[in-house]
Amino acid sequence: MKSTAVVQFPLVADIIQFNHASYGLSSLRAIEEGERLRREIESDPTVHLGAELTARLEVQTADVARALGIDQDRITLCTNATSAAAAIIASVPLSSNSVVVILDVEYSSIRRAWEIACAKAGASLISVSVPMPFESTTELMAELDAQIPGPVDYLQVSAITSSTAIELPMSELGNWAAQRGAQLIVDAAHGPGHIPLKPRQWGASAVFGTLHKWFPTLRPVGFLWLASEFDTLIRPAEVSLTWDSSSVVERFSWPGTFDPVPRLTVQTAIEQWADWESDGLIDGCKKLADLADHVMVDSGARWTSAPEFRPPRLRAFILDGANPLQVKDLLQAAEIRAWVGQGAQGECLLRLATHIYNDENDVDRVTHRIKEVLSR
């Protein structure tokens, strides 16, 4: 796989890259398109950054909606997942009577944003622990019922958790939110280009995330999907010239002067991803992730979830007794790029994201290093 695929990226030779799930990785094809677009814009920015830009972004947004299989009139592009989340959290009404529920495996900046908003309003923020390894939807639902006996205003969850790489049971969480009268808000940073997005099936009021993690587009590119009840309520966190627009695309299209090139390369990136899928390369990534599952556990690591909750190309492992900083340093010295950090319960976590430039030798190299860590 690597011999033909690696040349599509500007990766340094000999680096083992398992961390595109953190920042994404632009392909050479997207980079070249971005350079062409940037030269075009700079040739006449008065025209290309004016009214023409909104029309071009509407085309890109429609392409994204078709690629993701979601309704075009409900989605907009934005800067990144953080900016989309900030818009939601700053816009929803909170009071001293409000109850917000969040899982302890949620992304740290999203948790912090809710903490700040709830503190300002005097609202209650309840964090519910997700058992690790995660093996049972029933157990999670029981924990939610036990900790939250009454009504809820907002439930914040991830379609795929970031550090623990768990594909959460979204339909069940959506049903629980509906039973409690809650608006479901979904962090889908690891969704596009990875798993299907089903906001209506989930019963979501808002879904936000990024495109640059799993598509090879330039960074940053975020997206925001809003159900009808949130359509006019959610406004960008920054007040710009289009803040009052009735069009959700236009509302988020001009956050002040910015670089629109990453958003304008989305179509190119999606087309390239589709080529990879038709060539069987995406399926190859899934098989490689399954291989990593087995050899990592044979090396002494533990899974973070049962098989049915493992995302196709993102896997995380618990390294019992290991120090995250030491593991990170060891992998870095071996030219292996992977996410290593501390979980909600203090455990050491290693996360691997497989891409078309990875192969079995890459898995062997990271496994060898982890075996070395766990044998100490």
Side-chain angles (χ1 to χ4, degrees):
M1 187 186 301
K2 177 179 290 190
S3 59
T4 57
V6 72
V7 295
Q8 300 184 53
F9 298 88
L11 282 169
V12 173
D14 298 327
I15 282 182
I16 304 301
Q17 176 62 271
F18 278 120
N19 197 30
H20 73 268
S22 284
Y23 309 110
L25 188 63
S26 304
S27 67
L28 291 172
R29 181 169 160 183
I31 291 170
E32 290 167 2
E33 174 64 5
E35 290 173 349
R36 184 193 69 78
L37 287 165
R38 188 162 283 111
R39 286 193 297 271
E40 176 187 302
I41 289 169
E42 295 306 327
S43 71
D44 193 351
T46 301
V47 170
H48 297 309
L49 295 179
E52 174 190 288
L53 179 59
T54 298
R56 295 178 74 170
L57 289 173
E58 286 174 345
V59 172
Q60 296 289 329
T61 303
D63 288 335
V64 170
R66 282 191 292 271
L68 301 184
I70 56 181
D71 18 1
Q72 179 178 331
D73 60 341
R74 305 250 66 90
I75 188 174
T76 184
L77 301 181
C78 57
T79 303
N80 49 39
T82 303
S83 65
I88 295 168
I89 297 169
S91 299
V92 296
L94 289 171
S95 71
S96 58
N97 296 320
S98 300
V99 175
V100 178
V101 176
I102 191 168
L103 305 181
D104 68 350
V105 290
E106 296 305 303
Y107 194 64
S108 56
S109 68
I110 305 302
R111 290 174 55 84
R112 185 61 183 139
W114 279 112
E115 288 171 356
I116 292 170
C118 288
K120 287 181 178 178
S124 298
L125 178 63
I126 303 173
S127 178
V128 176
S129 295
V130 174
M132 197 71 60
F134 181 71
E135 297 179 320
S136 168
T137 298
T138 302
E139 187 177 352
L140 177 58
M141 296 300 113
E143 188 66 21
L144 284 165
D145 284 335
Q147 291 201 38
I148 302 100
V152 173
D153 292 275
Y154 305 102
L155 172 62
Q156 170 75 66
V157 298
S158 291
I160 296 175
T161 62
S162 182
S163 57
T164 51
I166 300 170
E167 188 171 351
L168 289 172
M170 294 305 303
S171 295
E172 290 84 352
L173 287 166
N175 289 337
W176 186 90
Q179 292 167 9
R180 297 307 181 93
Q183 306 281 358
L184 177 65
I185 300 172
V186 180
D187 180 345
H190 292 286
H194 190 193
I195 62 168
L197 298 186
K198 302 175 181 179
R200 293 193 182 279
Q201 183 176 317
W202 297 338
S205 292
V207 180
F208 64 87
T210 54
L211 301 175
H212 60 255
K213 288 182 183 292
W214 295 89
F215 287 122
T217 187
L218 302 184
R219 71 181 72 80
V221 185
F223 79 94
L224 174 61
W225 179 93
L226 300 173
S228 56
E229 64 267 25
F230 269 14
D231 187 32
T232 58
L233 175 67
I234 306 303
R235 301 280 159 174
E238 65 278 287
V239 180
S240 65
L241 295 174
T242 58
W243 193 88
D244 292 300
S245 176
S246 60
S247 164
V248 67
V249 173
E250 187 174 55
R251 199 182 310 159
F252 284 84
S253 288
W254 190 257
T257 302
F258 77 114
D259 179 11
V261 169
R263 302 186 197 186
L264 296 175
T265 63
V266 166
Q267 183 180 26
T268 297
I270 289 174
E271 289 172 353
Q272 186 169 29
W273 186 96
D275 290 342
W276 295 338
E277 184 179 42
S278 64
D279 290 341
L281 297 178
I282 301 299
D283 280 341
C285 297
K286 297 174 184 177
K287 293 175 182 177
L288 197 62
D290 289 338
L291 172 66
D293 257 358
H294 295 294
V295 297
M296 286 293 294
V297 170
D298 288 344
S299 299
R302 288 194 295 133
W303 292 305
T304 56
S305 69
E308 60 267 32
F309 303 112
R310 294 174 199 160
R313 296 184 283 135
L314 186 69
R315 305 296 167 86
F317 306 91
I318 302 168
L319 308 182
D320 291 314
N323 180 293
L325 290 177
Q326 292 177 353
V327 175
K328 188 179 295 185
D329 288 345
L330 178 67
L331 295 181
Q332 193 82 357
E335 302 290 8
I336 298 170
R337 309 295 185 249
W339 185 89
V340 181
Q342 186 170 292
Q345 309 304 318
E347 65 272 45
C348 178
L349 297 172
L350 167 70
R351 187 189 69 191
L352 303 178
T354 56
H355 210 325
I356 68 165
Y357 44 67
N358 294 123
D359 60 18
E360 293 184 11
N361 290 329
D362 296 346
V363 173
D364 288 342
R365 281 180 60 176
V366 71
T367 302
H368 174 75
R369 294 298 176 180
I370 294 307
K371 190 179 297 185
E372 180 183 334
V373 167
L374 296 177
S375 64
R376 292 177 178 175

